[in-house]
Each structure stands twice: as C-alpha cells, then as structure tokens.
C-alpha cells in the first residue's frame, strides 16, 4: 500500500526527511483502506519507518488486532533533491548546479539505483510473505519503490516516466504468491474518490497548480 496524503504546504520533496505526517485527508484515506480491508485474512501489517507510512498502517493493524511492524527496506527511495522544491517549471530543475544529477535517467543518477530498490523491496515482501504465510500481509511503503518492484515483477523496464506510475495515494498493489513465487500482480484504489484529481495515477502536472511531492 502507498501511504495517504501528506501535509506539505511548502511543496518540499520530502523523501526520507522526518517530520512529514499525514494530512487530515490522508488520515481519511488510511481509515478508508482499513475499512476496505476489514474482512480480509490479514495476519501481518508492516510499514516503512517514516511517519506517513506508520500513520497509514496503524488503522489497518488496529482493525485486525495486530501489532504494527517496521521494516527499513520499505523506506522511500534516496534522492539528492530531498528537501528542495521540485515543481513544474520552477524549483530545483532550474538551477544549473543540479543538472549534473540528471545525466542518467536509466540508473537513475539523481538517487538510489532502481535495482537496489528492487532488491530491498523484494526482501521486504519475502519477509512479509513468510510472516503471514497462508494468510495476507499489508506492507505500507512509498510510490517509487512500489512502482519499481511491481515493474520488476511484471518484467517491465525499471526506468520510466514518473507521471505514468500507476500508484495513487492510498492505493493497493497486490502481489500473490504460490509458495515463494509471485504468480500475479493486482492494483486497486479503495480511496480513489478522496484523491484530488491531479494526483490520480497518470494525471499530468499543471503549471501553477497544486503539486505532488510525496512518494
């Protein structure tokens, strides 16, 4: 699961920075997904250590009478632009000093290599699978790591246009295992009606409009 909306009035690319919590809308998204999953056979709930993921996972764990686990491998991808604004037509991309980080979109050169994200995310999924074997687990993480591990599971290239990620706020990307092997991947948006239209999967950024800085 991707976490819900974050309170971020300054439009910062917050990445792994602490202190970024769910907004009121984000808490509603988390509650909505907890309701959606209330009847599922969930035996394990685990989240990234970042506040927004912990706060998103808490209602799900509570609904199933489970302690919330933490896995560092579910954390947001590292990014050199963390702490900067990163809007459309403004912010970090306008500064020549930052252009050196944009030389290789296939790795990518501005942050944690995609393949390293895959390795840690597959490890986290495997641990959750083992903890809930025969049942279901919920892992709360962040947009880019979720999208990259899904791309790997579906045998697609890891480099991509960020605008085309199918990983909306509070969405569920489901990995079904047979034994230790992923046999299918699914996707759903239980809180879709709560997500602002410009933040839905595939939405195009609009100059001067509200920006999406979370992951």
């Amino acid at each position: 699961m991707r976490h819900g909306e974050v309170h971020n009035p300054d439009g910062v690319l917050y990445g792994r920075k602490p202190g970024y919590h769910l907004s009121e809308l984000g808490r509603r998204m988390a509650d909505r997904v907890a309701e959606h999953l209330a009847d599922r056979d969930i035996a394990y709930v685990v989240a990234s250590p970042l506040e927004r993921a912990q706060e998103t996972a808490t209602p799900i764990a509570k609904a199933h009478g489970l302690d919330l686990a933490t896995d560092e491998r579910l954390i947001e991808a590292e990014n050199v632009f963390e702490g900067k604004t990163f809007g459309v037509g403004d912010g970090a991309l306008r500064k020549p000093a930052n252009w050196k980080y944009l030389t290789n979109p296939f790795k990518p050169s501005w942050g944690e290599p995609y393949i390293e994200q895959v390795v840690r995310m597959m490890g986290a999924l495997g641990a959750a699978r083992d903890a809930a074997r025969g049942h279901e687990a919920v892992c709360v993480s962040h947009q880019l790591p979720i999208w990259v591990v899904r791309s790997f599971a579906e045998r697609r290239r890891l480099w991509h246009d960020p605008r085309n990620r199918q990983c909306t706020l509070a969405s569920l990307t489901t990995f079904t295992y047979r034994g230790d092997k992923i046999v299918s991947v699914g996707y759903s948006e239980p809180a879709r009606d709560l997500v602002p239209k410009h933040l839905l999967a595939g939405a195009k950024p609009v100059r001067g409009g509200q920006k999406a800085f979370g992951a």
Side-chain angles (χ1 to χ4, degrees):
M1 178 183 176
R2 183 185 173 194
H3 62 78
E5 184 189 65
V6 175
H7 179 66
N8 182 21
D10 296 326
V12 172
L13 182 70
Y14 38 76
R16 294 181 176 182
K17 292 178 72 66
Y20 285 87
H21 298 266
L22 293 183
S23 65
E24 281 300 315
L25 179 59
R27 293 182 183 279
R28 288 171 57 199
M29 292 176 181
D31 289 340
R32 170 69 64 80
V33 178
E35 293 170 4
H36 175 77
L37 296 174
D39 296 330
R40 304 295 302 187
D41 183 23
I42 294 169
Y44 185 67
V45 181
V46 62
S48 154
L50 297 173
E51 293 97 334
R52 56 193 183 272
Q54 295 276 316
E55 292 165 0
T56 299
T58 295
I60 301 171
K62 184 177 179 180
H64 291 272
L66 299 170
D67 292 330
L68 175 60
T70 300
D71 192 328
E72 294 279 348
R73 293 172 293 188
L74 294 171
I75 200 167
E76 170 62 297
E78 192 173 27
N79 192 312
V80 298
F81 296 109
E82 182 179 293
K84 299 179 172 64
T85 59
F86 204 79
V88 179
D90 62 6
L93 286 183
R94 295 189 66 182
K95 298 174 181 176
N98 291 327
W99 295 351
K100 63 186 177 183
Y101 298 118
L102 305 175
T103 57
N104 185 356
F106 306 107
K107 187 178 180 180
S109 53
W110 55 82
E112 182 183 9
Y114 293 134
I115 191 61
E116 292 183 12
Q117 294 179 53
V118 169
V119 170
R120 64 176 173 84
M121 288 293 286
M122 287 296 292
L125 292 181
R129 173 203 64 209
D130 292 342
R133 194 171 288 273
H135 306 277
E136 293 177 285
V138 176
C139 305
V140 181
S141 186
H142 307 269
Q143 186 189 60
L144 178 54
I146 294 171
W147 180 248
V148 169
V149 77
R150 175 182 172 181
S151 296
F152 175 80
E154 294 180 329
R155 294 183 171 86
R156 286 184 280 109
R157 66 178 186 236
L158 302 183
W159 59 273
H160 59 281
D161 183 339
R163 296 170 298 181
N164 295 332
R165 295 173 190 158
Q166 189 183 41
C167 192
T168 292
L169 290 166
S171 61
L172 296 170
T173 301
T174 305
F175 299 86
T176 301
Y177 284 84
R178 181 174 296 128
D180 292 343
K181 181 180 180 182
I182 295 174
V183 295
S184 67
V185 179
Y187 177 78
S188 61
E189 297 175 354
R192 182 181 176 87
D193 61 304
L194 298 178
V195 179
K197 288 184 179 180
H198 72 286
L199 296 180
L200 290 170
K204 306 300 183 185
V206 177
R207 181 185 293 271
Q210 186 179 353
K211 307 178 183 72
F213 298 95

